[in-house]
Amino acid sequence: MMISRDDVESLDPIEKMYFKRILSFIKNTLKIDVTQYKESYIIRRIRVRMKATKCQSFKEYYEYLKTHKEEHEELANTLTVNVTEFWRDITVYKEIMKIIDNWVADRSIRKLRIWSAGCSSGEEPYGVAIILNEAIEKHKRKLLLASIIGTDIDKEVLNKARIGIYHIKQLKNLPPHIIEKYFIKLNEEEYQIKQIIKKYVKFQLHDLIKDPPLKNMDMILCRNVIIYFDKKIQEEIFLKFYEALNPGGFLVLGKTEILHGEAKKLFKTYNARERIYQKPKEE
């Protein structure tokens, strides 16, 4: 019977051995470095595929991997999965709307740079671009230089993001007039983001752990990404975000993510409930 606990120490010696073999398979065959992820996360993701393939143990699933090449891609996708939708957690986006509206209303601000880190298939950066365009139209700021960079470690999802086609379920948080204004209806289930929004967003490959941070950012959104990393790696990423932000810039995390380590002292809390932090302005 499959063990339900999500820690390695709960596994019997045989299962522990095969779990390690699966990790080795992921690294050497799938070319995915999972060493920085929490083991509990990896176990949960592997169990998703074990359930799908009706494997009752890590040993059984390891043998399945060796004999079913089509499962390789399924496991890779499951390990890097990031279920996203537009304006997920609407209360957070209402705060983002206020911040962006204040920026755009301030005519002394000529340029805005926003980084969507771990952007997956693009719902987050495009969702922020919609907010940005609405504010630009409202305040008649057509000459404002505004750009959003969406980054991820997965080439496939970045290609999907550039195309910008989404299932109607992923648009459920958007008001009907926003969908009509910014999306092309392809069929009853699929919508494509319009060029008026695409023009704001650029996508690039970037590894939060290994690569240096982007620079001169006014806002960084990294929501429900760092929760999968161990605490030490999280602290390093927080410091990279601090380095990436302009003074007065904002960091937006997921609802279950909090700052810790040195970054907790460096950032000030802007909205604790919505996990929005700010890099102090220069004196």
Side-chain angles (χ1 to χ4, degrees):
M1 187 175 176
M2 197 184 299
I3 300 167
S4 60
R5 283 184 60 188
D6 294 330
D7 57 280
V8 176
E9 295 310 311
S10 69
L11 304 176
D12 66 45
I14 298 295
E15 281 290 86
K16 192 180 292 187
M17 179 180 72
Y18 278 98
F19 172 68
K20 298 294 183 185
R21 287 184 182 180
I22 293 171
L23 289 184
S24 179
F25 180 90
I26 291 167
K27 182 179 180 181
N28 298 321
T29 304
L30 303 185
K31 304 300 181 186
I32 299 173
D33 182 6
V34 291
T35 56
Q36 311 294 356
Y37 288 89
K38 292 178 180 176
E39 285 186 332
S40 58
Y41 167 75
I42 301 167
I43 290 174
R44 285 197 303 273
R45 302 320 299 168
I46 291 172
R47 282 197 173 119
V48 169
R49 293 309 309 160
M50 287 169 65
K51 186 176 180 181
T53 56
K54 297 181 169 56
C55 293
Q56 293 297 311
S57 66
F58 287 120
K59 179 180 184 297
E60 196 176 330
Y61 185 64
Y62 177 69
E63 298 298 337
Y64 188 92
L65 276 172
K66 291 199 300 181
T67 55
H68 294 75
K69 284 195 173 180
E70 71 278 7
E71 179 61 18
H72 296 184
E73 186 178 350
E74 296 290 346
L75 177 58
N77 289 340
T78 301
L79 287 167
T80 57
V81 71
N82 190 3
V83 179
T84 56
E85 57 194 36
F86 284 84
W87 294 4
R88 186 180 182 186
D89 294 327
I90 193 63
T91 54
V92 176
Y93 276 90
K94 284 181 178 177
E95 290 301 313
I96 292 170
M97 286 175 192
K98 290 177 192 173
I99 292 168
I100 289 176
D101 191 75
N102 288 336
W103 278 337
V104 178
D106 184 349
R107 294 189 174 269
S108 69
I109 295 175
R110 304 291 179 86
K111 183 193 283 188
L112 286 175
R113 279 169 57 83
I114 297 171
W115 177 12
S116 172
C119 69
S120 189
S121 47
E123 293 89 333
E124 182 175 86
Y126 285 141
V128 173
I130 289 170
I131 293 168
L132 194 53
N133 194 72
E134 287 288 290
I136 285 170
E137 288 185 358
K138 174 184 171 183
H139 297 288
K140 298 178 171 58
R141 293 292 313 275
K142 285 186 178 180
L143 297 179
L144 178 68
L145 294 173
S147 62
I148 301 167
I149 301 174
T151 67
D152 205 281
I153 59 168
D154 189 329
K155 288 181 183 177
E156 192 174 318
V157 296
L158 288 175
N159 287 334
K160 185 179 177 183
R162 292 184 183 101
I163 296 167
I165 294 175
Y166 302 98
H167 193 278
I168 190 170
K169 288 179 181 177
Q170 294 170 281
L171 279 56
K172 66 182 182 181
N173 301 319
L174 301 177
H177 75 276
I178 291 289
I179 297 173
E180 186 177 347
K181 183 175 180 180
Y182 293 116
F183 291 84
I184 302 163
K185 185 176 181 180
L186 302 179
N187 52 56
E188 290 305 311
E189 293 190 340
E190 292 182 313
Y191 288 73
Q192 185 167 27
I193 198 84
K194 288 183 179 179
Q195 188 59 36
I196 188 175
I197 293 304
K198 280 189 175 184
K199 70 181 182 183
Y200 291 108
V201 185
K202 294 282 188 295
F203 294 99
Q204 70 181 60
L205 202 64
H206 183 273
D207 188 323
L208 285 172
I209 298 170
K210 296 176 181 176
D211 294 334
L214 307 186
K215 294 294 178 68
N216 303 315
M217 292 293 157
D218 297 297
M219 178 181 285
I220 299 172
L221 297 100
C222 187
R223 307 187 63 237
N224 309 309
V225 177
I226 60 161
I227 191 172
Y228 302 123
F229 300 129
D230 66 36
K231 197 169 181 180
K232 181 177 179 292
I233 296 298
Q234 286 182 17
E235 290 178 9
E236 291 172 5
I237 292 172
F238 289 146
L239 293 178
K240 285 184 177 184
F241 288 155
Y242 186 85
E243 182 185 343
L245 282 168
N246 292 325
F250 294 90
L251 171 62
V252 186
L253 301 178
K255 283 286 184 69
T256 60
E257 298 166 329
I258 56 171
L259 285 179
H260 48 77
E262 185 65 23
K264 191 174 181 181
K265 302 171 190 173
L266 294 171
F267 282 94
K268 68 177 186 179
T269 301
Y270 178 81
N271 185 316
R273 190 168 69 89
E274 304 302 342
R275 300 294 193 261
I276 302 176
Y277 303 91
Q278 189 174 25
K279 181 174 179 174
K281 296 176 182 179
E282 292 176 342
E283 295 297 329

